[in-house]
Amino acid sequence: MEIKLKKNTKNYLLITLQKEKEDIFLQLKLNEKGNLGSSEYTFKIGEDAADVIRDWAMDKQQSVGFDEDYDLTNEGEMLQEIIDKFYS
């Protein structure tokens, strides 16, 4: 499957996955297509790995994605984009 993410979401995903899910991070990093000058980045990834990323993002969003009024934070918005894009 092919996934397109905004630059800031792509950076967040790669940095956070490297710390928390290195096995999946390596799959993403190896399959990243460089889109120089573009605000979106495209990844190719298998559906099983996409499911793992989506589940991880959903769990992470529950713990860090909302403020005290239950509104999405900036991090929560990026996680929501990941959840939406990695839904197969």
Side-chain angles (χ1 to χ4, degrees):
M1 86 186 306
E2 198 167 273
I3 307 290
K4 289 184 181 180
L5 293 175
K6 295 175 189 170
K7 183 179 179 181
N8 63 338
T9 304
K10 184 256 328 178
N11 291 339
Y12 172 81
L13 178 65
L14 292 178
I15 290 167
T16 309
L17 280 181
Q18 185 177 20
K19 293 176 186 173
E20 297 180 17
K21 292 271 187 196
E22 188 174 10
D23 56 328
I24 301 297
F25 163 78
L26 293 174
Q27 290 179 43
L28 263 182
K29 188 159 179 70
L30 292 174
N31 292 316
E32 178 183 357
K33 291 182 186 175
N35 299 16
L36 295 176
S38 175
S39 63
E40 288 191 334
Y41 289 80
T42 303
F43 297 93
K44 283 189 177 180
I45 190 164
E47 289 189 27
D48 290 341
D51 289 344
V52 170
I53 291 171
R54 186 190 66 247
D55 291 345
W56 162 83
M58 289 170 61
D59 290 343
K60 187 155 185 76
Q61 187 183 50
Q62 292 302 311
S63 63
V64 300
F66 298 94
D67 65 16
E68 60 276 349
D69 296 323
Y70 299 105
D71 293 324
L72 283 174
T73 62
N74 288 336
E75 188 173 5
E77 290 175 3
M78 287 186 283
L79 288 162
Q80 187 62 53
E81 181 183 355
I82 292 166
I83 292 164
D84 292 345
K85 298 283 183 157
F86 282 82
Y87 184 75
S88 55

